[in-house]
Every structure is written in structure tokens, then in C-alpha cells.
């Protein structure tokens, strides 16, 4: 019956039979106990190291003419760059936009908004910042003073973070 098949079908049938026989042979060899210790492992039992998700890059927002404070953390250069551009105006609402990335899942850091005027380093507002790459936006009133944003204090495993304060639109 095999000789009546076209040659391409015969070759395919023969190859399938050989693969099936080889697979059965390998399965029965793996199940049989051996008395020899071998340092080589079959390729099918070698496990690959777990892959870790590489966080995407964190896109920093462009500087706007009316922002009052910006802080950026870049661990590649091991720097925290903070810029206070101008004082807040009393009675005007402000918004903080902040984002963070971390190699550790569920990592959360703190942001703290501080006065830089006569009452230097007096906390004005604070909050949690999840390091999942999403941007948080919180609105707040600010006193008529210079404003600075701090991130941290512990930035272990943080791959990038920023916080920008500007008038609410």
C-alpha cells in the first residue's frame, strides 16, 4: 500500500513514523532509571533563567513656561535634579504630575512638596507614587512661597522618576 503512494507522501509517512518511534524511544529511556551519574542533561530538562520584565522608559514632560517646580531622578547618572522656577501664587490651584518606574513590582515611593521660603523645608503636601510608569495627577492649593518637590527617601530599584508642579488648567 505504501508503494502505491506518490514519493512525496511516502517520504512524509516514513519521516512521521521515524519521529514517532524516536519520541517513544526517548520517553522510555527517560523513564528507565540509570545507575550512571551523568553531568550532561538532556536539552528538554534544562530550564532557562526566569525573564524579568524590563520597564519601559519614562517620558519626561516638556518644560512649560508656567511650571513652578520640577524634580527628576535618573539613577544612570545617580542624580536627583531639582529646579524651583518661581514662587506659587496664593489662591491659585496647582497640580502635581508625577511618575515613577521600578524594577521591583508594586514599588511605591513618596513625593513631598516643601516650602522654600522663610519656612524652608516645611512640608506643604505629600503622597504615594506607584512605580508602575503611570502618571498621577493631584491638585492642591499652595502658599505664596517658593516650592520644591522631593522624591524618596528610599529610591532603591527605581529606574526613573519625576514630579512637576504647575498651575492647574
Amino acid at each position: 500500500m505504501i508503494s502505491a503512494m506518490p514519493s512525496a507522501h511516502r517520504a512524509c509517512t516514513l519521516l512521521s513514523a521515524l519521529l514517532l518511534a524516536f519520541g517513544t524511544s526517548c520517553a522510555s529511556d527517560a523513564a528507565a532509571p540509570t545507575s550512571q551519574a551523568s553531568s550532561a542533561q538532556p536539552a528538554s530538562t534544562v530550564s532557562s533563567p526566569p525573564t524579568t520584565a524590563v520597564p519601559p522608559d519614562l517620558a519626561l514632560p516638556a518644560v512649560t513656561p508656567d511650571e513652578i517646580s520640577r524634580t527628576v531622578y535618573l539613577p544612570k547618572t545617580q542624580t536627583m535634579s531639582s529646579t524651583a522656577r518661581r514662587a506659587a501664587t496664593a489662591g491659585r490651584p496647582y497640580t502635581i504630575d508625577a511618575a515613577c518606574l521600578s524594577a521591583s513590582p508594586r514599588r511605591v515611593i513618596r513625593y513631598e512638596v516643601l516650602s522654600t521660603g522663610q519656612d524652608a523645608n516645611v512640608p506643604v503636601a505629600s503622597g504615594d507614587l506607584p512605580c508602575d510608569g503611570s502618571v498621577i495627577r493631584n491638585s492642591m492649593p499652595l502658599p505664596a512661597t517658593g516650592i520644591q518637590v522631593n522624591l524618596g527617601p528610599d529610591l532603591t530599584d527605581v529606574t526613573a522618576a519625576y514630579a512637576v508642579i504647575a498651575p492647574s488648567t
Side-chain angles (χ1 to χ4, degrees):
M1 177 157 27
I2 291 180
S3 61
M5 289 184 189
S7 62
H9 288 291
R10 279 195 309 260
C12 185
T13 303
L14 180 61
L15 181 59
S16 296
L18 288 173
L19 286 173
L20 182 61
F22 179 73
T24 305
S25 163
C26 287
S28 64
D29 287 346
T34 61
S35 60
Q36 297 177 349
S38 172
S39 62
Q41 293 182 354
S44 63
T45 62
V46 175
S47 62
S48 60
T51 58
T52 56
V54 176
D57 288 333
L58 190 61
L60 298 176
V63 175
T64 62
D66 58 347
E67 75 181 39
I68 62 170
S69 184
R70 171 183 291 254
T71 298
V72 177
Y73 175 68
L74 299 171
K76 290 179 183 176
T77 58
Q78 302 215 350
T79 59
M80 176 93 63
S81 161
S82 296
T83 305
R85 300 192 189 286
R86 64 189 46 80
T89 303
R92 186 170 188 183
Y94 289 88
T95 301
I96 182 169
D97 287 335
C100 177
L101 279 176
S102 174
S104 299
R106 296 183 292 280
R107 178 80 163 100
V108 176
I109 63 172
R110 298 277 300 161
Y111 70 85
E112 188 172 45
V113 179
L114 304 170
S115 166
T116 62
Q118 290 179 340
D119 298 327
N121 296 323
V122 171
V124 175
S126 64
D128 289 334
L129 179 57
C131 292
D132 60 5
S134 61
V135 177
I136 64 153
R137 174 172 275 187
N138 291 327
S139 296
M140 67 192 83
L142 294 174
T145 184
I147 297 294
Q148 183 62 51
V149 178
N150 285 343
L151 299 172
D154 178 16
L155 298 174
T156 305
D157 293 333
V158 172
T159 58
Y162 72 83
V164 177
I165 297 179
S168 298
T169 55

